Amino acid sequence: MPEGDTVWHTARRLDSALAGRVLERSDLRVPRFATADLTGRRVLDVTPRGKHLLARIEGGLTLHSHLRMDGAWRVYATGERPRGGPTHQIRAILGNAEFTAYGYRLPVLELIRTAEEEHAVGHLGPDLLGPDWDPAEAVRRLAADPARPLGEALLDQRNLAGIGNVYKSELAFLAAVTPWLPVGELAPGIPERLVATARRLLEANKDRPDRRTTTTRRPTERLYVYGREGRPCLRCGTPVRRAELADRVTYWCPGCQKGPQEEPSH
């Protein structure tokens, strides 16, 4: 599932191609909105909200999409053949005289009133890359359920919006605790540090082609634990392990991270 920095980058690419230009092509390939025609309307902006994308369109409309696991938006010069996947996977097309954006495999695609955007994204916590960022509120939400495993709490977009599976594992490593440790057992100051680190990493990576959480410049060592099962930890040399947490793959170092080593059985 794309992380908040990936969605932010996607929004900037769409905004650059579409904002301020009049749509000459509009095709929403979902049954509910198949007859909607946006041609002749100007795209005002494309804004990310956590992992959601909001394309605001002249006339008080917003095209709301979410990428989830494998959705994607691709932008090409108008007239260029799209290469984001088979044609039948295209769910949306928005085009102007210069650029055309294709939405592939979008599990969420709806046309809503801009005044009603809160119905789609109002449940989200503070956006790590948004103008509403509020670290104190993010900490409060993260700590609201002391018994909840840290990994689950970090992935819950109602706590803070933008963290995905990669950052979940990397943040737990950087805090030196396992993702199964209950939030209420974090040492004083750790929730604040986690939230600040999350913000710093997403800000640093939002314009990078390759996400990085480590300080080394080696291309094979961009992440501390994610995707490194069986390989030595970059800090202590202990083999990195992999398991499931709430049906999501999780990586951690048993040498560096303290706390429960696997999710308790229920």
Side-chain angles (χ1 to χ4, degrees):
M1 180 176 291
E3 314 275 325
D5 51 3
T6 300
V7 175
W8 190 94
H9 181 72
T10 298
R12 296 282 72 76
R13 189 167 65 250
L14 289 170
D15 189 79
S16 177
L18 301 177
R21 297 182 172 94
V22 174
L23 291 173
E24 297 183 1
R25 186 180 181 188
S26 163
D27 188 358
L28 305 183
R29 299 180 180 179
V30 293
R32 185 180 173 190
F33 302 104
T35 60
D37 185 6
L38 301 174
T39 56
R41 296 174 186 256
R42 189 179 304 275
V43 175
L44 303 179
D45 63 76
V46 181
T47 299
R49 181 71 173 84
K51 298 184 183 182
H52 299 251
L53 288 162
L54 302 170
R56 299 183 179 116
I57 299 165
E58 193 175 42
L61 296 175
T62 294
L63 187 64
H64 167 229
S65 61
H66 194 296
L67 306 181
R68 288 194 181 165
M69 293 301 294
D70 56 3
W73 280 94
R74 299 283 185 263
V75 176
Y76 301 95
T78 292
E80 183 181 359
R81 184 175 64 86
R83 301 177 300 279
T87 301
H88 73 266
Q89 293 183 347
I90 297 174
R91 297 289 179 267
I93 303 175
L94 298 175
N96 54 52
E98 297 179 69
F99 302 100
T100 301
Y102 297 83
Y104 287 87
R105 303 171 298 277
L106 299 174
V108 175
L109 183 69
E110 59 176 352
L111 190 63
I112 61 177
R113 293 288 178 187
T114 301
E116 297 175 353
E117 285 180 358
E118 283 299 296
H119 295 321
V121 296
H123 66 286
L124 298 175
D127 187 343
L128 283 155
L129 293 176
D132 71 325
W133 175 241
D134 183 342
E137 177 62 13
V139 170
R140 186 192 70 78
R141 294 189 181 210
L142 192 66
D145 185 353
R148 195 175 193 187
L150 174 63
E152 288 186 21
L154 287 173
L155 285 176
D156 191 337
Q157 302 300 294
R158 295 169 299 181
N159 291 335
L160 57 168
I163 292 178
N165 219 27
V166 176
Y167 282 117
K168 174 202 71 180
S169 293
E170 295 295 294
L171 288 167
F173 176 82
L174 290 168
V177 298
T178 71
W180 295 274
L181 184 74
V183 172
E185 295 183 23
L186 291 170
I190 295 299
E192 290 80 3
R193 195 174 84 186
L194 271 168
V195 165
T197 301
R199 165 79 166 182
R200 176 177 59 80
L201 289 176
L202 266 74
E203 278 284 355
N205 283 307
K206 67 183 184 183
D207 290 320
R208 289 175 177 167
D210 297 310
R211 183 179 295 117
R212 179 179 298 278
T213 61
T214 66
T215 55
T216 177
R217 291 301 173 187
R218 297 174 185 171
T220 59
E221 298 178 354
R222 294 182 295 105
L223 304 174
Y224 283 108
V225 291
Y226 190 86
R228 303 190 71 252
E229 179 187 11
R231 298 171 63 186
C233 171
L234 299 179
R235 285 186 173 172
C236 74
T238 301
V240 172
R241 294 178 62 184
R242 167 181 167 165
E244 299 292 324
L245 172 62
D247 299 322
R248 301 289 296 277
V249 65
T250 298
Y251 297 87
W252 85 103
C253 170
C256 290
Q257 295 172 252
K258 307 305 178 185
Q261 295 292 297
E262 59 186 355
E263 186 176 23
S265 59
H266 296 287

